Amino acid sequence: MLNKKQINHFIASGIMVVLVMLLSCTEKIPSDLSDESIIPKPVSIISTGDYFTLKASTDIYIQGESAKLIQIGQYLADRLKPATGFAFNVKPTKKDFGRGNIFLSLQSADPTLGDEGYELLISKKIIRLTANNPTGLFRGIQTIRQLLPASIELPSKQERVWKVATGIIKDYPVFSYRGAMLDVSRHFFGVNDVKRFIDFLACYKMNVLHLHLSDDQGWRIEIKSWPNLTAHGGSTQVGGGAGGFYTQDQYTEIVQYAKEHYITVVPEIDMPGHTNAALASYAELNCNGKATELYTGTEVGFSTFCTGKEVTYKFIDDVVRELATLTPGPYIHIGGDESHSTKKEDYIPFINRVQDIVIAHGKQVLGWDDIAISALKPNVTAQYWANVENANTAVAKGAKILISPATKAYLDMQYDKTTPIGLHWAAYIEVDSAYKWDPQKLVPGVGKENIIGIEAPLWTETITNMDQMEFMVFPRLPGYAEIGWTASLLRDWDEYKVRLGKQGERFKAMGINFYPSGLVPWVGAKE
Ligand code: TNX
């Protein structure tokens, strides 16, 4: 028979066992940093087998006092506050140590980390993030977010412990341009939608948002010297809905929000084709002097500016001038694709003149690969989307290449025959196909030295709202981010899909409507 002491001991250990079991079910304690799901995959991870715990008393210390650093510290605090319910005061310090706190430092970073790299040291006592400049700190903060449990992304307070596995991460990107494009012309997306899209890019360390601001179906940016562009040209969209446009103040708000997320906005005015919205707004831009009708279908290649009229160039000069003043980034994108209604002998001098206009306003030219047949000026970048010959011609003319293959990187392509939205003229792009390619080996004749990076475009002929946008973007976007950031030698689909599967809980916590591909081993996220 057991005596009373033994029975008590028995009960106590039973309770302990149950408690430990409960804890380990609901709150898996991380202790192996190299086992965490980080996308894009970092350059190196050393695990030290312990954990750091966020507490109500944890503060965020800034080393090197500056407005930008305070803002980054505040950004991190704002990400961590809702789910933890902790205060996370942000304050400058000269000290190197303070148990239980997070340090963001620009002091004595490793120069090999470059402009966007960071080093993250997590010990039992502190988290220290170091970089050469604020951009690197911002990128590193995304890693800290992903090392915390997925519920850190929930909008309300969670009762749980917040542990981070210890170790050292060193990380920096392969390509300097890692972008996504949003077509706001075919279907208009308002300022808040674009901000949410920017949030997605920031999570995965992407650094460019390309906005396709004009097309046949709609002109979406206010140009003060040509007000009918938006008053009339912005008044509809594919399917005949109300459309919309950004005032210059709203556009500036988007650019500023992007900047706070260390993302550059590249504005595109597509020309000489894809211009029906402008041609419907101003009769003088047409060769016959008559305004066209607004267009709400999805055909391409039927519109063209009148390349022989002087007013066309006065118009473009005004548009580019106003756009350049709204654009802190280096590029203006001039489109140039699918100008099937422009004769080649008109197209070439037109593109040559438009390049001069962009350069005269202090900006660098980006254009779809079709522009390669013109006389490319110095510092031009051609965006490869389908035509290998164009890409090679552009390289031969001294241009750099931005890699956006329609067959691999088009976010508007359906995943497979059964997925409800999207097109499939280039390919069906399942999540594995979207991931399994190497930008440096994709286009014969175009190698690393020619490539500035990659971009995944989301055309919106079939995409009408945020839910649909998220379904097309997730879960492919993290893969594109990884292709742009992580060396292809470190990438492998079978290993990646496991990390992606663990991100599913994060998508859910962020309220993202994602495509639950059967190729991905989702953890606790699939309905
Ligand atoms: C081709 S890609 C286009 C766009 C369409 C897209 C649809 C490119 C430069 N032009 O006008 O929206 O296909 O996938």
Side-chain angles (χ1 to χ4, degrees):
M1 279 296 282
L2 297 170
N3 64 31
K4 207 173 162 201
K5 203 171 154 197
Q6 284 171 318
I7 292 172
N8 280 343
H9 179 76
F10 190 71
I11 293 171
S13 18
I15 291 172
M16 276 304 285
V17 168
V18 171
L19 269 179
V20 167
M21 275 171 62
L22 269 178
L23 254 181
S24 55
C25 292
T26 55
E27 293 171 2
K28 190 179 129 278
I29 294 174
S31 57
D32 187 353
L33 190 62
S34 51
D35 205 31
E36 295 295 323
S37 158
I38 306 168
I39 298 179
K41 185 178 186 170
V43 172
S44 80
I45 305 179
I46 298 167
S47 174
T48 49
D50 213 326
Y51 52 80
F52 172 90
T53 310
L54 288 184
K55 300 227 174 68
S57 58
T58 301
D59 285 329
I60 298 172
Y61 284 102
I62 306 299
Q63 285 179 324
E65 207 170 332
S66 86
K68 273 189 182 168
L69 278 195
I70 301 256
Q71 201 178 36
I72 287 179
Q74 200 52 54
Y75 167 86
L76 175 58
D78 290 345
R79 301 282 81 66
L80 305 182
K81 271 179 192 174
T84 59
F86 303 158
F88 293 108
N89 297 307
V90 178
K91 34 194 175 186
T93 182
K94 293 210 165 63
K95 278 194 314 182
D96 251 6
F97 188 77
R99 204 186 168 102
N101 295 310
I102 301 173
F103 288 77
L104 306 179
S105 174
L106 293 180
Q107 283 163 18
S108 52
D110 176 351
T112 62
L113 297 171
D115 283 345
E116 291 189 275
Y118 64 91
E119 185 170 331
L120 178 60
L121 178 132
I122 304 156
S123 71
K124 204 172 158 53
K125 294 172 184 162
I126 61 164
I127 293 183
R128 181 192 309 287
L129 180 63
T130 315
N132 286 306
N133 60 44
T135 316
L137 291 180
F138 189 83
R139 305 291 177 238
I141 281 175
Q142 309 311 322
T143 301
I144 296 176
R145 286 172 76 183
Q146 291 190 22
L147 291 174
L148 281 155
S151 49
I152 195 71
E153 302 296 343
L154 287 168
S156 62
K157 188 173 178 204
Q158 308 296 303
E159 293 303 334
R160 61 161 301 150
V161 287
W162 303 98
K163 292 184 185 296
V164 186
T166 59
I168 301 171
I169 296 179
K170 272 201 183 198
D171 201 11
Y172 47 84
V174 171
F175 290 113
S176 61
Y177 187 122
R178 305 175 307 279
M181 189 204 82
L182 180 60
D183 169 8
V184 292
S185 178
R186 271 56 177 273
H187 280 100
F188 181 64
F189 288 83
V191 174
N192 287 339
D193 290 346
V194 177
K195 285 184 177 174
R196 184 157 162 86
F197 194 68
I198 289 170
D199 291 342
F200 297 157
L201 302 189
C203 280
Y204 295 101
K205 305 187 175 77
M206 296 181 98
N207 63 3
V208 179
L209 168 66
H210 167 184
L211 285 174
H212 185 74
L213 290 169
S214 71
D215 211 304
D216 292 318
Q217 297 85 347
W219 187 284
R220 307 301 181 199
I221 175 74
E222 176 190 22
I223 300 295
K224 296 197 169 164
S225 50
W226 296 76
N228 211 34
L229 286 172
T230 45
H232 186 61
S235 66
T236 192
Q237 60 183 0
V238 167
F245 66 92
Y246 311 118
T247 63
Q248 293 200 355
D249 282 350
Q250 289 174 323
Y251 187 78
T252 300
E253 191 183 327
I254 291 172
V255 170
Q256 182 58 29
Y257 189 81
K259 197 170 166 213
E260 286 162 13
H261 292 73
Y262 293 84
I263 288 172
T264 302
V265 176
V266 174
E268 176 185 354
I269 299 298
D270 202 349
M271 53 194 154
H274 289 282
T275 43
N276 185 70
L279 296 168
S281 306
Y282 286 99
E284 62 264 48
L285 299 176
N286 295 272
C287 282
N288 65 5
K290 285 196 190 119
T292 60
E293 293 295 315
L294 291 173
Y295 181 69
T296 60
T298 59
E299 295 297 311
V300 298
F302 59 88
S303 56
T304 182
F305 279 154
C306 189
T307 59
K309 273 186 166 178
E310 229 11 66
V311 66
T312 300
Y313 301 96
K314 161 84 175 104
F315 168 81
I316 295 167
D317 190 68
D318 286 340
V319 170
V320 171
R321 175 172 37 78
E322 290 196 34
L323 207 49
T325 62
L326 300 171
T327 303
Y331 298 108
I332 292 214
H333 200 303
I334 61 170
D337 59 313
E338 299 174 319
S339 294
H340 306 318
S341 302
T342 322
K343 289 198 192 98
K344 194 171 168 182
E345 60 265 34
D346 296 334
Y347 179 88
I348 292 172
F350 173 85
I351 294 291
N352 289 345
R353 228 174 132 177
V354 173
Q355 292 180 69
D356 286 337
I357 292 172
V358 170
I359 293 162
H361 289 291
K363 295 296 171 188
Q364 260 173 268
V365 174
L366 237 174
W368 297 105
D369 64 47
D370 316 51
I371 66 167
I373 63 169
S374 69
L376 298 181
K377 312 277 160 156
N379 289 322
V380 168
T381 302
Q383 184 166 8
Y384 166 77
W385 62 282
N387 190 314
V388 173
E389 197 186 326
N390 282 344
N392 278 281
T393 306
V395 166
K397 291 181 180 177
K400 292 279 184 233
I401 305 293
L402 174 60
I403 300 279
S404 295
T407 53
K408 288 286 178 188
Y410 267 28
L411 286 163
D412 64 318
M413 292 297 128
Q414 284 167 273
Y415 293 93
D416 66 18
K417 288 196 173 74
T418 69
T419 48
I421 30 181
L423 306 173
H424 55 257
W425 66 264
Y428 292 103
I429 308 181
E430 245 298 354
V431 185
D432 60 342
S433 171
Y435 182 81
K436 287 193 217 171
W437 59 282
D438 179 353
Q440 297 181 37
K441 298 207 177 115
L442 188 84
V443 191
V446 179
K448 166 132 214 251
E449 63 285 5
N450 313 116
I451 298 172
I452 63 164
I454 81 153
E455 187 180 285
L458 180 63
W459 302 99
T460 58
E461 285 95 332
T462 63
I463 294 145
T464 63
N465 59 38
M466 256 339 247
D467 255 18
Q468 295 178 344
M469 184 227 263
E470 291 172 9
F471 184 82
M472 299 310 280
V473 167
F474 284 94
R476 288 182 289 203
L477 187 81
Y480 297 130
E482 181 152 308
I483 292 171
W485 181 281
T486 309
S488 57
L489 267 176
L490 293 179
R491 296 199 293 110
D492 167 65
W493 163 254
D494 286 320
E495 183 270 338
Y496 171 73
K497 73 179 180 194
V498 176
R499 273 183 292 126
L500 183 60
K502 293 185 192 164
Q503 296 278 319
E505 286 180 283
R506 231 160 265 277
F507 302 158
K508 272 195 115 178
M510 294 166 89
I512 293 171
N513 176 38
F514 68 101
Y515 163 61
S517 169
L519 302 178
V520 179
W522 300 109
V523 178
K526 212 170 155 179
E527 299 290 322

